Amino acid sequence: MPDWLITGCSELLTLRGPVPRRGRGLGELGIVRDGALLVRNDRILAVGERRKVERLGAARRAEKLDFGGRVVLPGFVDSHTHLIFPTSRAEEYEQRILGKTYQEIARAGGGIGATVRAVRCTSEKTLSECASARLREFAAHGTTTLEAKSGYGLNWKNELKILSILQQLHQDQPLDIVQTFLGAHIVPPEFRKRPETFVDLLVRAWIPAVATAGLAAFCDVFCDRGAFTVPQARRILQTARACGLVPRIHAEQFSRTGAARLAVEVQAASADHLDKIGRDDIRALALSNVVCTLLPGCSFHLGAPEYAPARALIDAGVIVALATDFNPGTSPTVSMPMILSLACTQLRMTPAEALAAATINPAYSLRQHGRVGSLEVGKYADLAAFDVADYREIPYYFGVNLCKMTMKRGVVITPRS
Ligand code: NIG
Ligand code: FE
């Protein structure tokens, strides 16, 4: 593979600097005007002002890639997705528009349970093909690394099916996939009358087996009304930690349960959603290294009036990240640029804060910050080039995909050749 000299970056957002980013530091993008990158194999060999990079010996021999004046940034790190499911739940979308709530639909047999039934009767091959097509869409919108959860199998055979599809996809296609075990998504139908027996099964058998087989790096729990309680989530996440899986948690989405405090207690890598979080929770999170991953696609898609208090979180010094939560029930979008638009208008984050929350901070929450999330020497050459003159135009132009090129580990993956 030849070296690449990448020029024509009117604004090169390097995101260099301290990791993770908090408070006022969140919006520091490390912008280089008229920037350039030198890429060798899958890594960044040099990055900085074009005139300086061009002077390097290796730059003279490199193949030239001129973006002609675009904004270039690290590929997005989407740190919360439920990638593996076969079909949409568009009928629920319509029911909600007509007045039903997410919880009413779930109690009537829809919701997560409906996707679990669909996954159980869909072959590995079909699920994998669906996911591959979606991964190409993620890449086309500038995402180069994503986390993906199990949680729509909810019996051993089908949880394993999802985790092995993810493992295979990580090997077979260009994007990096970081795996999370979400066996505790909801209590599966077989255990509806015996939730504690299901928690026993998770902690005695499934979590140790997933950890031993190296099928996931993280373990997540949906801690909310209609899912798992705080004491159940505590048992699950303490077991996960003891087995070597790092906790993540769906917290304070539909009701305030105390899950955010539990995230601090078990030193979770991430607490996600947080729409219903309280003031004391924010203080506790600010003193911790838990990343607060905000998912504004959910409130938008559900037509909910409430969004997470991003401003209060950032101003208190909490580590904030943004993700799609790509899933068929609450946030069917692969588009990080759309999430940036929502972060700006609904969460009142500045465009700079939103961009850092979509790159370096989620990389930290996935423990991938040594490799991705910023454009620095030695890191992967994972980049997205947007057809805009000013980075603020990325969220500004909402509902349109202006990502014109995505590079993953030194290979141009969008547009596909
Ligand atoms: O993150 N909250 C739990 N899980 C998903 C919803 C999944 C579904 O409705 O299928 C979420 O919003
Ligand atoms: Fe989720």
Side-chain angles (χ1 to χ4, degrees):
M1 216 160 92
D3 293 347
W4 286 108
L5 173 66
I6 299 173
T7 57
C9 313
S10 58
E11 289 180 345
L12 181 64
L13 316 186
T14 65
L15 276 296
R16 69 186 167 219
V19 185
R21 295 278 212 284
R22 299 177 188 257
R24 285 218 190 94
L26 179 61
E28 277 163 29
L29 299 179
I31 300 179
V32 180
R33 287 178 208 287
D34 193 13
L37 289 143
L38 192 58
V39 173
R40 174 165 294 169
N41 299 320
D42 55 354
R43 309 272 169 169
I44 297 168
L45 195 63
V47 51
E49 288 168 30
R50 179 178 53 82
R51 279 178 311 155
K52 286 191 189 148
V53 175
E54 275 178 343
R55 250 184 257 138
L56 300 169
R60 285 191 216 112
R61 295 183 292 275
E63 295 254 355
K64 314 280 185 291
L65 189 59
D66 185 351
F67 284 144
R70 283 181 175 144
V71 172
V72 175
L73 62 144
F76 296 123
V77 178
D78 189 346
S79 55
H80 184 142
T81 84
H82 304 251
L83 180 67
I84 307 295
F85 60 86
T87 44
S88 87
R89 302 211 305 266
E91 67 290 351
E92 296 182 5
Y93 181 59
E94 186 177 39
Q95 285 170 20
R96 276 195 304 274
I97 291 162
L98 296 171
K100 286 230 163 58
T101 67
Y102 180 82
Q103 283 75 15
E104 283 165 354
I105 292 167
R107 278 197 296 273
I112 295 169
T115 299
V116 169
R117 287 194 297 280
V119 163
R120 288 179 180 182
C121 60
T122 305
S123 71
E124 199 161 319
K125 181 161 177 286
T126 305
L127 286 170
S128 170
E129 285 167 1
C130 281
S132 297
R134 290 176 192 140
L135 286 167
R136 288 193 288 274
E137 286 300 313
F138 275 97
H141 288 79
T143 296
T144 48
T145 297
L146 69 161
E147 182 259 18
K149 305 174 194 294
S150 69
Y152 287 130
L154 301 190
N155 58 29
W156 181 240
K157 185 174 139 211
N158 282 280
E159 284 295 297
L160 213 55
K161 180 166 93 180
I162 295 172
L163 292 171
S164 51
I165 294 168
L166 290 173
Q167 212 165 32
Q168 200 61 45
L169 286 169
H170 175 65
Q171 282 166 24
D172 294 350
Q173 58 73 58
L175 302 193
D176 280 311
I177 301 176
V178 178
Q179 296 188 202
T180 295
F181 178 58
L182 178 58
H185 201 180
I186 52 166
V187 177
E190 305 79 41
F191 289 88
R192 187 153 299 145
K193 300 240 161 67
R194 305 169 291 145
E196 292 303 329
T197 314
F198 181 63
V199 176
D200 286 343
L201 182 65
L202 279 167
V203 303
R204 294 204 183 123
W206 293 6
I207 291 171
V210 167
T212 309
L215 285 168
F218 296 94
C219 180
D220 198 342
V221 178
F222 181 19
C223 186
D224 214 311
R225 218 188 309 139
F228 293 87
T229 64
V230 167
Q232 288 168 338
R234 178 180 288 112
R235 231 186 120 202
I236 291 164
L237 295 178
Q238 281 176 346
T239 303
R241 190 162 267 303
C243 293
L245 301 179
V246 179
R248 312 182 81 80
I249 185 161
H250 282 71
E252 328 287 5
Q253 180 183 13
F254 295 112
S255 55
R256 184 161 177 229
T257 59
R261 290 304 187 93
L262 177 62
V264 175
E265 181 190 319
V266 299
Q267 296 174 36
S270 180
D272 302 43
H273 288 287
L274 306 177
D275 306 276
K276 296 280 196 291
I277 197 174
R279 216 177 279 167
D280 294 350
D281 301 333
I282 295 176
R283 235 169 282 141
L285 285 160
L287 297 172
S288 80
N289 287 322
V290 177
V291 177
C292 291
T293 303
L294 310 182
L295 310 167
C298 296
S299 297
F300 178 74
H301 180 74
L302 295 174
E306 226 173 356
Y307 284 80
R311 258 309 11 117
L313 287 162
I314 295 167
D315 296 344
V318 167
I319 309 164
V320 168
L322 291 163
T324 59
D325 195 11
F326 178 64
N327 78 77
T330 61
S331 188
T333 182
V334 299
S335 170
M336 284 300 284
M338 178 67 195
I339 297 302
L340 296 178
S341 298
L342 294 174
C344 292
T345 59
Q346 307 304 306
L347 302 181
R348 317 307 296 179
M349 291 171 71
T350 65
E353 288 172 337
L355 281 161
T359 51
I360 192 64
N361 277 0
Y364 172 75
S365 100
L366 296 179
R367 307 294 183 250
Q368 298 293 312
H369 51 287
R371 293 193 268 198
V372 302
S374 64
L375 302 177
E376 292 175 278
V377 172
K379 283 194 165 184
Y380 284 150
D382 287 7
L383 3 146
F386 279 77
D387 206 359
V388 292
D390 176 325
Y391 72 85
R392 291 170 295 194
E393 291 171 353
I394 299 173
Y396 168 87
Y397 286 113
F398 70 95
V400 58
N401 185 19
L402 294 173
C403 178
K404 289 298 172 245
M405 192 244 30
T406 309
M407 176 179 273
K408 177 66 190 173
R409 298 200 196 187
V411 177
V412 175
I413 55 170
T414 302
R416 292 199 294 158
S417 49

